[in-house]
Amino acid sequence: MSKYGSLNSMQQEAVAYTEGPLLILAGAGSGKTRVLTYRTAYLIEEKGVNPYHIMAITFTNKAAGEMRERIDKLVGFGSEGVWVSTFHSTCVRILRRYIERLGYDNSFTIYDADDQKALMKEVCRRLQIDTKIYKEKNFLGVISSAKDGLVSPEQFARQARGDFVRERQAAVYREYQAMLQKNNALDFDDLIGKTVELFEQVPEVLANYQERFRYVMVDEYQDTNTAQFRLIELLAGKYQNLCVVGDDDQSIYKFRGANIQNILSFEEIYPNAKVVRLEQNYRSTQNILDAANGVIAHNIARKDKALWTDNGQGSRIDFRQLDTAYEEADYIIRDIQGKVQGGKGSYGDCAILYRTNAQSRLFEERLVVANMPYRIVGGVNFYARKEVKDLLAYLKTIDNGSDDLSVRRIINIPKRGIGATTIGRVQAYAEEQGLSFYDALQQVDDIQAIRKAGGKIRPFVNFIQVMRSKLEYLSVSQVLQEVIDGTGYVKELEAENTEESRARIENIDELLSKAFAYDEAAETPTLSGFLEEVALVADIDSLQEGSDYVVLMTFHSAKGLEFPHVYMAGLEDGLFPSYMTILSDDLADLEEERRLCYVGITRAMSDLSITCARQRMIRGEMQYNTVSRFVQEIPRHLLGRGKTAALEKSQKEVQPQSFREAVSKVKPIFSTRNTYQSRNVSFPSANTSKATLEYQVGDRVAHMKFGEGTVSQIVEGGRDYEVTVDFDKVGTKKMFATFAKLKKV
């Protein structure tokens, strides 16, 4: 395999297996991107596959860019023919060509989270829903989950019959989707769902892409949801040359719709699939890997594997239990300071990870006092800032006049004296006539109710029309510059002459730089293409490598990154895992939290520090927590000397051997305000026997939270039964019989 000799034996096996389904279980730091790029080269050079027939798909722009760069470097001439893209970018490219088959125009707008919220407010207004009682955010969450599961508004409505709350959600979903189509807009979930719909409804389009993509490779497969799985299944349906790469132990996005069963059930879906395990880690020391292996081994729903490395044992893990959260923050900041001053690393080598964003405050305060540079990952996205969204709304209106949200956003920016009453009357006219909001503005002379306001509206309409007429001969950056000049947006900010206004002007300059860069890089730059590229930028892609500052982020944000020195803060029962997770009767919730802990541990390259506090202020109350059960699951010999006293003390309270024993002995967090002291939280003993189960596989059962479902599996697990139930409304859940309290129906 000549050039492939630098790969280890398992990597070589994965690269050389090219025909038929292949599951590559790639542990953290095992070189999965390297395998995918070399596999692409092998297909082209050794198998004679035309690059045009190869697709490599992943989740983030950063990952796709890295893969693109590596493939180009490795393959050389012809590599540009390989389709390397994210899921969403792939679907946008397909929909731009064929979405007319589904009743949309090809110049559709992509709505971000803020756009969705604005649209949902309008939906609730139309349906006369009190948003003080029924939150827009909750409706959006329900709709997103439905779309991830490929449940249409019609299907949702059928499933909701007889349930008042679900019927209300169904009405909102139906109106929300209707307004999206009226605005010729798609949200991010639609990008996947509409592509699947297109493939299923228009067989010739599917056949075209199946013929093109004869070899499909999917990265981060454990993060796919039901819609993404269906998309891949359809694309690979003809040739079955599907290679998926992922790590079930790093599946941490259930809250975003990720379905871990996609990777766990791959061999059931593709019985002839080959499985290759990549267990050699190139990132971390063996002590760090042994800690990660020790924690994740407590999960039941996983593929068996254990990471190992040639990097040496490394230093032991530094575990500290501090008295307070303030002392915890102080210890971590001083330790980082010591490493930098001692020449053991730079600020940029250090990352502080925590479970919730609220935990960042204490670290920020200490970093400021210590005069240390830092950056929080996951702040306000550049494209979510007001001035940027305003100018993008102008561009969207010029590109797609059907987008009512964008038109309404800018009709009074800058101020034109058009009041809410006038806007409401234009909207009413649009609804009566079946027009978009912008089309109604164009007919302002026919709207009797607004009278004098017509003189304020016409200049806005004229400006948009003039800009549309210039699209043929102006570049995107020139269009943006004319919008800035024509609206006087920057002049107003200059007149303010404040620190905030200057910062906003800098953001506008940065947007212009982005437009210039797009004009130079795109083969055929268009306004639609620019807006599409902007819409698909992810928050995590904004992390700049090589900058010398301490990074603060949640465990979720850290996935896919690595740092020489990692600090895992707040490892306490009640915080990580959360108290709600501990009390949940769904085993999957705790297992997902444990996978999140595993991800945190495997971010560390050479040094790992784990900290917790005996007491911390949460929601204004002082709470006292025991050491996290996840720390308990780390083998004792991996912890630095003298650091295990806290564990030995808390061992009597939380046993590390198993979830069953641990959860049966959990003690409630109590407050100095006696909030919890009056509560007696107790669990039944885990001594369920076969004779006590009143149901068996195939029986219908009822759960007090999840409703009715069918028992699909019962597994004896030591002192309790693990019961899997396919619930009618919430899907499949795995739980312990003792805590589930299922009733046969």
Side-chain angles (χ1 to χ4, degrees), residues 78-93:
S79 65
E80 67 278 359
V82 180
W83 183 303
V84 183
S85 180
T86 65
F87 272 99
H88 290 104
S89 295
T90 291
C91 291
V92 168
R93 287 174 67 179

Side-chain angles (χ1 to χ4, degrees), residues 166-231:
R166 300 285 284 178
E167 285 181 344
R168 183 180 291 272
Q169 292 169 347
V172 170
Y173 184 11
R174 184 168 53 247
E175 182 67 17
Y176 173 82
Q177 204 59 28
M179 289 187 67
L180 273 175
Q181 183 156 9
K182 175 180 174 293
N183 290 357
N184 193 35
L186 303 179
D187 61 24
F188 269 81
D189 296 316
D190 282 332
L191 296 178
I192 310 294
K194 290 298 177 184
T195 306
V196 171
E197 185 180 333
L198 174 70
F199 284 166
E200 291 180 337
Q201 291 188 11
V202 191
E204 62 268 27
V205 173
L206 173 60
N208 175 40
Y209 283 103
Q210 284 180 335
E211 193 59 38
R212 174 170 183 181
F213 301 128
R214 300 182 186 183
Y215 293 86
V216 179
M217 294 183 287
V218 185
D219 194 12
E220 302 288 4
Y221 189 66
Q222 77 282 345
D223 294 334
T224 54
N225 58 33
T226 300
Q228 289 162 336
F229 165 76
R230 180 60 179 154
L231 175 72

